[in-house]
Amino acid sequence: MKKRKLIGIFIGSIIIIFLIVTAFNTFAVKSKQPASKVTQVTINESQAVDRFTESITYQTVSYQDRTKFDYPVFEEFISFLGTSYPLVHEQLEVELVNDYALIFKWTGADASKNPIGLAAHYDVVPVLEGTESNWEQPPYSGNVVDGLIWGRGALDDKVGVIGIMEAVEYLLQEGYSPVRDMYFMFGFDEEIGGEEGAKAIVETLTERNVRFDFVLDEGGAIVENMVPGVESPVGVVGVSEKGSATAELSIEGSGGHSSQPKDHTNIGRISKAIAKLEDTQFKADLRGPGEDLFEFVTPEMGIGMKYIFANKAIFEPVIENILLKQPASAALIRTTIAPTIFQAGEQYNALPEKATAIVNLRVMPGESLEDVKQFLEETIDDDEIEVKLSGSEASQVSSSKGWQFEAIQQASRNVYPQSVIAPYLMFAGSDAKHYDKISENTYRFLPVLLTSEDLKRMHGTNEHLSVENFVNAIKFYVEVIKEADKH
């Protein structure tokens, strides 16, 4: 009995210590959000909205086949910018790269400071043929109805281009002079990789030895109900973007008549390979930008979720299990596998001599393409299936602890004081990856408040943006310019 009592006391002591330590960790977390200094910027909304809606009417569509580009429309858009923003064009240096990409340089007073760059793109994805009638407003109308601005590019990404131009024109009207050099850079082919736009801009600036403290491009946004346990909208600033790789799995062998099949056909073996990959998956690990996200949002959580995330070292398996339940959060913590194309056979009664599957993978920072290929081959474990892999690895991971991130965070809080601003890992691609070469930090953030439904419209039907969001985007760009000048 005495021994049992001692064991009970020991176990009880361990539990008490555990509760004390975890409770201390929970209440010790401090908010990483700067106090908001509500913006005093006043915009002439009607004029700004008129210019924005006109920008949408230019059908600056990117196509994978570059011969389909309607380049005269791109030239018209560039002329529209010149007419709409006279002070910008009079007082800043303006340069065309590859005829359609734009660089605006605003010379600052202190040449010893590295510049900052604000980037965006004015090309848009096509409207899917046959879906035009599904739009509540014509897709290139720029119509304003009930406080909403309709049209392709309203969200992705003419709001960035026009928001920046409006902000700079406003500051020039106010007589503002920057301390450091400022660059405003607009690509025209971001939707197909940015090879002739942003990449060419970077090559041009590299030749001039331009080096940025940070470049801010589009990317994350302020999203309602984004993080479980956080009631406030969370603004996610991409500090890195996942790599994108394409794996081709193929097998060749004798075909023959379907009346005499082998036990394991080419289609069956490729199907088995895909099933193995989906069943195995890459290892999940809450690290890097994903971990940073929760470091920033944990102090803003309700007590239950805060207790779990504040004690990550103890509850990491539980946290990872929670995150793996939803595709969006699962993508934060592992390289993803998405079979997208399957090709085999031409006739119902003939066994195909070759079967091929295409798998798209979004690669976590810290994992190389070589690592990915090795995982695929070891998981498939079939010597007759050839694995070819091509693509790009994840971008560099930018700092979320320096003044560069804090300037973006402060500007956001000045415009959206109720928001929680945090770093995160961006899943999609952007022009920002090109700027890694010439910038100490590259960030990905679109300063608008969205719902999950809004996100679905970004490349889809009924893309639109509220007037309030557009005006707030302008205010944000004004604020981020001023905040960057304080450092």
Side-chain angles (χ1 to χ4, degrees):
M1 290 293 292
K2 187 176 181 181
K3 185 176 181 181
R4 288 184 181 176
K5 186 175 181 181
L6 288 173
I7 292 172
I9 291 171
F10 176 75
I11 293 173
S13 299
I14 294 296
I15 292 172
I16 290 170
I17 292 170
F18 174 83
L19 292 174
I20 290 172
V21 171
T22 54
F24 175 80
N25 290 342
T26 302
F27 291 104
V29 294
K30 303 293 183 186
S31 177
K32 292 181 173 293
Q33 304 303 308
S36 62
K37 306 167 188 172
V38 180
T39 182
Q40 301 302 308
V41 174
T42 302
I43 301 296
N44 186 322
E45 292 187 16
S46 63
Q47 291 183 10
V49 168
D50 285 346
R51 287 187 284 264
F52 184 41
T53 57
E54 184 177 347
S55 76
I56 293 171
T57 65
Y58 295 93
Q59 298 185 32
T60 50
V61 180
S62 272
Y63 297 95
Q64 290 295 335
D65 180 356
R66 289 183 181 269
T67 63
K68 294 183 178 180
F69 273 60
D70 189 355
Y71 286 113
V73 175
F74 286 69
E75 293 168 1
E76 290 171 10
F77 181 83
I78 293 169
S79 295
F80 152 76
L81 292 180
T83 303
S84 300
Y85 303 102
L87 293 180
V88 173
H89 286 76
E90 289 169 10
Q91 299 188 35
L92 274 62
E93 297 175 32
V94 186
E95 181 177 2
L96 284 173
V97 177
N98 277 347
D99 296 325
Y100 307 105
L102 287 154
I103 302 174
F104 294 87
K105 180 185 178 183
W106 197 1
T107 302
D110 189 348
S112 68
K113 291 179 178 288
N114 284 340
I116 67 153
L118 302 181
H121 67 92
Y122 67 91
D123 60 311
V124 300
V125 297
V127 173
L128 188 62
E129 190 173 346
T131 66
E132 294 88 351
S133 62
N134 296 335
W135 285 68
E136 293 179 33
Q137 298 293 325
Y140 299 103
S141 64
N143 287 348
V144 182
V145 181
D146 296 329
L148 300 176
I149 303 166
W150 292 80
R152 181 63 86 223
L155 274 170
D156 187 13
D157 177 35
K158 285 179 178 174
V159 61
V161 175
I162 303 303
I164 292 168
M165 294 295 283
E166 290 285 342
V168 178
E169 189 82 3
Y170 167 85
L171 287 168
L172 290 170
Q173 290 172 352
E174 296 290 305
Y176 184 84
S177 296
V179 176
R180 63 174 70 235
D181 288 353
M182 306 269 177
Y183 285 79
F184 313 108
M185 301 164 290
F186 305 138
F188 69 96
D189 61 347
E190 187 273 349
E191 298 294 358
I192 57 170
E195 292 294 314
E196 295 187 9
K199 186 177 180 181
I201 289 173
V202 168
E203 290 168 352
T204 299
L205 296 179
T206 299
E207 293 173 0
R208 298 170 190 168
N209 296 315
V210 175
R211 182 77 185 174
F212 293 99
D213 269 335
F214 76 82
V215 170
L216 174 63
D217 196 6
E218 59 154 345
I222 304 171
V223 185
E224 296 177 345
N225 303 315
M226 179 172 182
V227 179
V230 180
E231 293 184 1
S232 300
V234 176
V236 286
V237 180
V239 294
S240 178
E241 60 187 64
K242 295 177 86 170
S244 180
T246 299
E248 179 183 274
L249 316 181
S250 62
I251 185 170
E252 292 189 53
S254 59
H257 199 281
S258 64
S259 63
Q260 301 176 61
K262 293 180 179 179
D263 289 345
H264 300 287
T265 63
N266 291 339
I267 288 179
R269 291 172 74 171
I270 288 289
S271 299
K272 185 178 180 181
I274 294 293
K276 280 185 175 182
L277 292 174
E278 291 188 330
D279 288 342
T280 306
Q281 297 290 342
F282 284 81
K283 184 180 183 299
D285 188 7
L286 181 57
R287 57 183 169 82
E291 184 176 24
D292 292 344
L293 168 64
F294 288 101
E295 184 181 334
F296 274 70
V297 300
T298 294
E300 320 304 326
M301 289 178 167
I303 189 64
M305 293 293 282
K306 183 187 292 187
Y307 178 78
I308 293 173
F309 280 90
N311 292 282
K312 172 183 172 289
I314 299 170
F315 295 116
E316 186 165 357
V318 176
I319 293 170
E320 289 175 354
N321 188 52
I322 292 171
L323 296 177
L324 287 172
K325 290 184 183 300
Q326 296 294 331
S329 52
L332 269 177
I333 59 174
R334 71 182 180 195
T335 293
T336 54
I337 298 169
T340 53
I341 300 173
F342 198 105
Q343 296 173 328
E346 296 178 358
Q347 189 166 318
Y348 79 93
N349 62 350
L351 296 171
E353 295 185 2
K354 181 176 181 178
T356 303
I358 302 297
V359 181
N360 183 250
L361 304 107
R362 297 304 169 106
V363 184
M364 288 286 287
E367 292 183 3
S368 68
L369 294 183
E370 186 177 335
D371 295 332
V372 171
K373 186 176 182 182
Q374 182 178 348
F375 172 86
L376 296 177
E377 291 175 337
E378 290 179 355
T379 303
I380 292 168
D381 192 24
D382 186 332
D383 292 338
E384 293 190 36
I385 293 179
E386 183 181 11
V387 178
K388 294 180 180 177
L389 188 71
S390 61
S392 59
E393 295 171 0
S395 70
Q396 69 180 26
V397 179
S398 298
S399 173
S400 58
K401 305 189 187 305
W403 70 263
Q404 297 90 343
F405 182 85
E406 291 170 2
I408 296 167
Q409 192 181 33
Q410 184 68 65
S412 303
R413 294 269 295 167
N414 292 353
V415 179
Y416 296 96
Q418 302 305 316
S419 63
V420 175
I421 308 300
Y424 94 123
L425 176 62
M426 187 167 145
F427 310 146
S430 73
D431 274 344
K433 61 182 176 291
H434 297 297
Y435 291 103
D436 280 350
K437 184 178 179 182
I438 57 172
S439 184
E440 190 71 22
N441 299 278
T442 51
Y443 299 109
R444 301 148 179 86
F445 181 61
L446 191 65
V448 295
L449 177 62
L450 304 175
T451 66
S452 57
E453 289 302 309
D454 292 326
L455 295 175
K456 295 176 184 177
R457 298 188 185 99
M458 197 163 281
H459 278 189
T461 298
N462 288 324
E463 183 176 348
H464 62 255
L465 182 73
S466 71
V467 170
E468 181 180 13
N469 259 323
F470 170 59
V471 171
N472 282 339
I474 300 170
K475 292 179 179 179
F476 166 83
Y477 288 120
V478 172
E479 292 290 331
V480 82
I481 288 170
K482 290 182 175 179
E483 289 297 329
D485 254 350
K486 294 177 182 178
H487 299 276

